[in-house]
Amino acid sequence: MLEEARSRWHPIAAAHDLPFRHVFHGQLLGREFAVWRADDGYVNIWENRCLHRGVRLSIGINDGRELKCQYHGWRYSNRTAGCTYIPAHPADAPARTITNRTFPAVERYGLVWSSEEPLGEVPDVAGLAEGKLLALRGIAVNAPADQVVERLKAYRFQPNGAIDGDAAETLIEAAQDFAVALRSRDGAAETLGVFFVQPADSNRSVIRGVLDRDAEGSAHIAVLRHHNERLSRLRDEAERDMANAPAPAPIEPVYERVSAELAEMPELTAHGRKAALRVTVARKWQTADGIAGFELRPIKGILPTFQPGAHIDVHMPNGEIRQYSITNGPGETDSFVIGVKLERDSKGGSKCMHETVREGDVLAISEPRNNFPLRRDAIKTIFVAGGIGITPLLAMAQALNNQELTHELHYFAQGEEHLAFADRLRALGDALKPHLGFSPDETGAELRRVLTGYRNGMHLYICGPGPMLEAARKIAAEQGWPDSAVHFEYFKNTNKIDDSSSFEVALARSCVTLQVPAGKTILQVMRESGIDVPSSCEQGACGTCMATVIEGEPDHQDVYLNDAERKAGTKIMTCVSRAKSARLVLDI
Amino acid sequence: MITLYDYELSGNCYKLRLLMSFLGIDHKTVPIDFYPGREHKSEWFLKLNPLGQLPVIEDDGLILRDAQAILVYLASKYDPSGKWYPRDNPALLGEISQWLAFADGITATASAARLHDALFYDFDIDAARAGAHRLFRILDEHLWFGEQQGRDWICSAAHPTIADIACFPYIMLSEEGGIPRQDYPAIRRWCDRVKRIKGFIVMSGVFPAGPARAAA
């Protein structure tokens, strides 16, 4: 019976067991769950072990958006259960394979239902209408579920309307493997009680009773006490019997190492940029002058995990591909919200998004990729945003705001009407510092003021138009900020690419040597030889196609690497950069 | 200044550290090598407390033993709000005393199980665990009905009392004695509430809670 029980839905908690900012400790068929309700109401049911060291997540911290493990502080996102931050690796974006196993959650009849491998939907229970029910206190019993069900068939109770009486007749209305429906009548009073038995383990069960109606006023507590008392008695009798019988061996749950979907290698395609996801434009709105906001919802299933700083490729109806940062706050995983600025000299990207794409349209997007990860170990973080450069920094500021980490968001824009995502900005409170209508010189002076007072442990994140970004980086350097504390993201690479060189590229892992002729990129040549390398912007701005250089001297033409990284010569953007030496050896 | 004869791993000493932190009372600590040194059974310590138990405090020449007794003393003397031990509310004082005695029961069971598992004490472990489960069932039921009636704390006041402090440590540490709290969801929620009292501090084995949701 228990083997078959895996495919059924079982109640694992009462809805009232899941207040906000709490983690409930549940169990079904031997498998433990960490169950938590996010601030957006979503109920997460996860395997109760941190993917890092196996510590129970049920002792973790529910911060309303993410669940933090108590042991080493790994953070997992609402809904996706993907890891968003590893404190011991503050500069890195966690791999997508670090995703905890999730189980389906449905709230119905005042209970929270789940299943290991559910067939079909949560069953309809005859006689229980949603809305006016009364969920009783769950009673844990140290006895197998089938024995508890047998005892429940003989359970007797008074209907709500005659709770003080003692003359009720209780009839079995239905009985199944894990539930008994009983109707109690006393004169005109009548109550239907459905008693579900949750098989927590081979020898542990929880009786979760639901009555078909609530009772008003003081009768409410009286009814709850009535059942609590009688069900506790039933429990004591069941446990007394079990005391003499040998306890069955506990059920050993099977732990998946990593889900099949995550374990698979992505499909090989001739085209390097993949749009694995389909989303609908749930909402399109003018979020600021010249900036359209798009809310993208998955057509089915849930969206993958993102971290602040991550971007997606949007594949547009006109065939163009553009990168947009995800502006969402942590744990906000039901949709991706992006902001698109209409560029005057648009080559079709932003124009298409503004003029062609409408609400209800379907778009193909890539999985989120994070080449602009946010450290959360800074003593203070300063964000400098110019115009539409607000988008990645907005996601970052919301993450730090949620964790109450010190930060300032300096937002440079032409005027009030150019400030995008006003509602999200408002939620940041005093951390938001708008700087409006400044000329380039005034911006420089303001930046000098903002960037004074560097102390070891502070970090700076900059995103904005090229000239402003250059100025900010220069001023930061003048004010004593080391390269390692200054993080930036360009929208695009405005360098004129010189692709006149030709050279040899040896791919050490693939054991292939290729010739890169003038006019072709390393990336193109690798793809033509069937070597799949991820890429996104393909103009040296986003960092997706970065490779490690083992030997040779790179000819950097990107805007992703900082000066120290360029000098070190150990990384290269294969989409634009080339070789100064005759030969490059890459770790691919 | 108050002197606390203290052992970091003792839940009973932690009760006093907790209350003093809630009340913002400065104090001095004298660490006692409870394990493996058994300093609480040493000649000099037995002069302070012939029972040879922790904690003990010294305050203004008064030497006091027993965690619950010291909670009563400290709250009576140092809590200007009068909430932790409301001396002018007989019914509440009765309730508090009832649950202080209950806390002694928790010490005799859950703490004993922990001493058995962690510090190799020769106790009847099955009896200790069964006894703790019996008490936890009673407390979980009490707290569950409290929640149903809008009461957050062990006693029927709108604020925590020393009864909450007295019951908290050895419940939180019960897993170290092989006593899971999975079947006591109302206790687990109450533990979150205790951890969110302003001034809450942790001890080894007790983890902090995150902030509560801000009122919308």
Side-chain angles (χ1 to χ4, degrees), chain B residues 9 31 56 158:
Chain B
L9 298 182
V56 169

Side-chain angles (χ1 to χ4, degrees), chain A residues 141-145 147-148 201-205 238-239 242:
Chain A
V141 189
N142 292 314
Q147 294 193 21
V148 176
D201 206 333
S202 59
N203 195 34
R204 284 182 49 251
S205 314
E239 290 185 349
M242 278 309 293

Side-chain angles (χ1 to χ4, degrees), chain A residues 16-17 19-27 39 56 58-59 61 70 136-137 140 142 204 220-221 224-225 228 232 235-236 239, chain B residues 137 140-142 144-149 175 180-186 188-189 192 195-196 207-214:
Chain A
H16 64 242
D17 282 324
F20 290 114
R21 308 295 177 103
H22 176 72
V23 189
F24 175 84
H25 187 175
Q27 194 175 23
D39 282 2
R56 286 192 171 100
S58 55
I59 63 165
I61 290 177
Q70 288 280 13
L136 304 177
R137 175 169 176 252
N142 292 314
R204 284 182 49 251
H220 172 80
I221 289 292
L224 291 173
R225 287 208 183 271
N228 187 63
S232 297
R235 171 197 67 198
D236 292 346
E239 290 185 349
Chain B
R137 271 187 175 171
D140 187 75
E141 180 179 311
H142 174 71
W144 191 88
F145 279 98
E147 288 179 339
Q148 292 294 315
Q149 292 165 292
E175 304 252 1
R181 295 186 298 280
Q182 191 191 335
D183 288 338
Y184 313 109
R188 294 185 80 254
R189 291 191 288 276
D192 276 11
K195 291 173 178 184
R196 287 181 180 137
F207 305 107
R213 192 185 193 213

Side-chain angles (χ1 to χ4, degrees), chain A residues 337-382:
Chain A
V337 175
I338 58 171
V340 179
K341 185 184 176 205
L342 181 61
E343 298 291 345
R344 248 168 301 165
D345 54 351
S346 169
K347 281 183 282 188
S350 64
K351 196 161 182 283
C352 178
M353 289 299 281
H354 271 256
E355 293 171 9
T356 312
V357 175
R358 288 177 301 182
E359 282 184 7
D361 284 359
V362 173
L363 291 175
I365 64 170
S366 70
E367 301 211 321
R369 204 173 281 117
N370 195 358
N371 304 318
F372 194 28
L374 169 69
R375 300 182 69 111
R376 305 190 200 183
D377 61 346
I379 56 165
K380 180 178 179 180
T381 305
I382 294 182

Side-chain angles (χ1 to χ4, degrees), chain A residues 32-34 46-58 76 100-101 255-257:
Chain A
E32 284 190 28
F33 298 128
W46 296 356
E47 191 95 80
N48 193 17
R49 56 207 289 270
C50 179
L51 292 167
H52 178 215
R53 302 295 266 172
V55 164
R56 286 192 171 100
L57 290 174
S58 55
Y76 298 93
N100 200 355
R101 183 166 177 196
Y255 296 112
E256 278 183 10
R257 293 179 68 86

Side-chain angles (χ1 to χ4, degrees), chain A residues 526-537:
Chain A
M526 288 194 291
R527 287 222 174 108
E528 282 167 13
S529 310
I531 291 155
D532 197 46
V533 180
S535 71
S536 180
C537 77

